Amino acid sequence: MLTSSVLVVFYLADGTTDAFYKKFTSPKQRSLIIGTSRAAQGIHPEVINLHMDVGVYNYAFSRVHTPYGEPYYDSVLRKLDTTSTNGVFILEVTPWTISDYTIAHSIVDESQSFLGTVGSVASCPNFSYLFYGFQDRYITILERRFFKQDPAEVFVHDDGWVEVSFTDEQQSAIVKREHSTLDSYTALVKTYQDVSEQRLAYLERLIMTLQSYGHVYLVRLPVADGMLRIETEYMPDFDRVITRLSETYKVPYINAMPERHVYGYTDGHHLDILSGKRFSEYLVNQIEALH
């Protein structure tokens, strides 16, 4: 049973609560951005919707929580407004979203995360998420909303875009953050095992399902050279795998990696805010050129 004080806190939950909660409080959507934190931070619905009348919503989360698989597939379908057939669906693809952990490192199961435990994806407030998906103490809902607690501020906008802002001191530490990220991904490679046929099958299934409701685009966001080198060494055939999917299902593959040097990154693989806006404009131009 909820106490009155906890209930008040729940009603105060918003875009500052964490990087995910707000996405489960918005209505069902006719157009979606799907993927990891790269897409969550790097693709701006506001920019796309300014140029295209599609009402796209950012329903991307993180590498850990939303690789392609049954939990994410089911969550996307629950978020989808199935009364519309003229949507736009931007599916971010990375080597990590179509890979599985090795048996020795199989400690992450997204079905046990909020994707698998939160049934409602369009309730406000979303008691299901706050009960089963929220990972912190409830007092942090108040702390994050009314007091600055974290050096890097995270805010989820009404359109699902995740804004991550840094202090001036942190902005000057980009090189240090990039080195740290590259070190962690170099170690991460050892916990993964190439392409997962099951994850690939769910990506294919998602493509086929969404084609009934609009246009589907496979998108690879740019990353810095060091991260690209790690991903290429880990999965050298990645682009070939995605190109084959693109040809099989007749959906465009927009690979922005060749343009990676014109963008800035906060840590080597997440676009900074300005670059995210520019990349979103690039994405609009690429999509419009296809029609």
Side-chain angles (χ1 to χ4, degrees):
M1 181 177 178
L2 283 175
T3 64
S4 58
S5 57
V6 171
L7 190 61
V8 168
V9 171
F10 280 7
Y11 273 93
L12 289 171
D14 64 358
T16 64
T17 297
D18 62 15
F20 310 132
Y21 171 72
K22 188 75 176 283
K23 295 174 187 269
F24 290 99
T25 65
S26 59
K28 292 190 175 187
Q29 305 290 330
R30 67 185 176 104
S31 298
L32 294 167
I33 296 162
I34 298 163
T36 70
S37 58
R38 292 181 189 174
Q41 297 176 35
I43 303 180
H44 295 230
E46 181 181 24
V47 173
I48 296 174
N49 294 331
L50 181 65
H51 298 281
M52 302 171 63
D53 184 23
V54 294
V56 72
Y57 184 86
N58 196 317
Y59 200 60
F61 294 90
S62 76
R63 171 188 59 80
V64 173
H65 298 99
T66 50
Y68 290 105
E70 184 176 7
Y72 199 18
Y73 175 86
D74 290 344
S75 188
V76 167
L77 262 58
R78 287 196 295 269
K79 194 68 173 179
L80 179 64
D81 177 2
T82 56
T83 65
S84 174
T85 57
N86 62 344
V88 165
F89 303 100
I90 297 170
L91 276 58
E92 182 214 4
V93 288
T94 77
W96 319 107
T97 56
I98 59 171
S99 295
D100 258 336
Y101 289 96
T102 62
I103 295 176
H105 295 88
S106 186
I107 57 175
V108 179
D109 181 356
E110 66 265 23
S111 66
Q112 301 302 312
S113 74
F114 56 80
L115 281 184
T117 58
V118 178
S120 172
V121 298
S123 302
C124 187
N126 194 314
F127 296 115
S128 179
Y129 181 90
L130 293 170
F131 272 129
Y132 304 114
F134 189 61
Q135 297 297 304
D136 294 310
R137 296 174 304 130
Y138 291 140
I139 189 64
T140 61
I141 294 174
L142 299 179
E143 291 172 343
R144 289 170 181 164
R145 179 160 181 173
F146 298 110
F147 307 98
K148 185 175 180 179
Q149 292 293 312
D150 301 316
E153 297 249 314
V154 176
F155 182 76
V156 182
H157 289 252
D158 289 343
D159 57 15
W161 172 55
V162 178
E163 178 180 2
V164 180
S165 55
F166 296 92
T167 63
D168 291 341
E169 183 179 350
Q170 288 175 315
Q171 289 285 12
S172 64
I174 290 177
V175 173
K176 182 178 180 180
R177 282 201 306 277
E178 181 174 344
H179 287 163
S180 176
T181 299
L182 295 181
D183 287 344
S184 67
Y185 269 81
T186 298
L188 191 68
V189 167
K190 301 172 184 177
T191 70
Y192 275 93
Q193 53 177 358
D194 206 18
V195 176
S196 162
E197 292 302 323
Q198 183 179 32
R199 295 206 182 281
L200 207 54
Y202 267 103
L203 174 55
E204 294 181 49
R205 186 176 175 185
L206 186 59
I207 291 169
M208 289 188 289
T209 300
L210 294 178
Q211 282 180 314
S212 298
Y213 301 101
H215 298 284
V216 177
Y217 304 90
L218 301 174
V219 175
R220 188 177 191 185
L221 276 78
V223 296
D225 285 346
M227 181 62 71
L228 177 59
R229 184 163 52 251
I230 290 171
E231 294 189 349
T232 301
E233 290 175 356
Y234 166 62
M235 193 178 292
D237 291 337
F238 174 76
D239 281 326
R240 193 175 308 159
V241 170
I242 302 302
T243 298
R244 186 168 65 247
L245 279 183
S246 169
E247 294 171 347
T248 299
Y249 296 101
K250 296 180 172 54
V251 295
Y253 174 34
I254 301 172
N255 181 4
M257 209 59 78
E259 286 78 36
R260 64 188 178 279
H261 296 121
V262 303
Y263 298 109
Y265 308 90
T266 61
D267 57 3
H269 74 128
H270 290 105
L271 292 168
D272 62 37
I273 293 175
L274 179 60
S275 290
K277 290 180 178 179
R278 290 172 49 227
F279 173 75
S280 299
E281 291 173 350
Y282 161 86
L283 203 52
V284 168
N285 293 334
Q286 292 295 307
I287 291 173
E288 289 183 336
L290 292 165
H291 299 284

